[in-house]
Amino acid sequence: MSAQPRPTLHWSPRSPFVRKVMIAAHELGLVEQIALVRTVVRMGQPNHDLLPDNPLSKIPTLVLPDGSTIFDSLTICEYLDAQAGGGRLLPPAGPARWVALTRHALGNGYLDLLILWRNERDKPAERQTQEWLDSFATKSQATLARLERDAPDLGATPFDLGHIALGCALSYLDFRFADLDWRAGRPALAAWHEGFAARPSVLATGIVDD
């Protein structure tokens, strides 16, 4: 009997958004059922091989065996959760679902902010906009303060997609913003992230700058 075709994930070891999907796949026991294709995307250079699958030229993009596509990371994770029976990484309708989705929105939005901040920091000094840098820094501090406040609740609720998004954002800080020392003065958040980083699904999906 021939093997069943697998969905294909446009993937990069550098993308925190792809990492969210891979952590979800590991947590759901689906990682062996997904084929990976290395896909490079850049803000100023569309990937023409990716455009037929995702006209936005963004990853992650999941191509199903019938040729249809699913994107972005939240949608792909929700699809994987449904494939695994549903309700495991996204709680069913009710208060817990709104909490998970709001946490996901905060983690995802923080990743968007960090990527824009990094792009601005990487510009030559004469091309940087100080107002933007200050705004990014203020929003980052406010996000970290919110997460330090919420860390006890994070640790007390079942692991879900909201935890994945927040953990990936904090791990991206370690990867691209090592100079910020985000753990200083935030013991509860640091302790929560330490537990997150020790999960097998997280250890198996470390970001690599290849």
Side-chain angles (χ1 to χ4, degrees), residues 116-117 120 123 128-137:
L116 291 172
W117 192 6
E120 189 66 21
K123 291 178 181 178
Q128 294 178 0
T129 302
Q130 190 61 46
E131 184 179 20
W132 292 2
L133 293 172
D134 292 344
S135 178
F136 292 142

Side-chain angles (χ1 to χ4, degrees), residues 96-124:
R97 183 177 181 86
W98 307 131
V99 170
L101 287 172
T102 300
R103 287 174 175 168
H104 176 274
L106 181 58
N108 218 51
Y110 194 25
L111 278 173
D112 286 336
L113 181 154
L114 292 173
I115 289 170
L116 291 172
W117 192 6
R118 176 178 177 246
N119 288 341
E120 189 66 21
R121 296 205 320 172
D122 285 351
K123 291 178 181 178

Side-chain angles (χ1 to χ4, degrees), residues 26-103:
H26 277 276
E27 291 283 340
L28 296 167
L30 298 176
V31 70
E32 299 298 331
Q33 300 179 32
I34 301 171
L36 304 180
V37 58
R38 181 68 169 90
T39 304
V40 177
V41 295
R42 298 183 177 89
M43 187 175 296
Q45 184 178 344
N47 183 323
H48 290 279
D49 292 330
L50 177 59
L51 289 175
D53 291 329
N54 186 337
L56 298 174
S57 187
K58 296 178 71 174
I59 56 174
T61 294
L62 187 68
V63 184
L64 302 183
D66 65 1
S68 60
T69 56
I70 299 177
F71 47 85
D72 59 2
S73 61
L74 173 58
T75 312
I76 295 171
C77 288
E78 187 163 6
Y79 170 81
L80 294 178
D81 191 60
Q83 293 299 108
R88 293 179 55 184
L89 291 181
L90 270 175
R97 183 177 181 86
W98 307 131
V99 170
L101 287 172
T102 300
R103 287 174 175 168

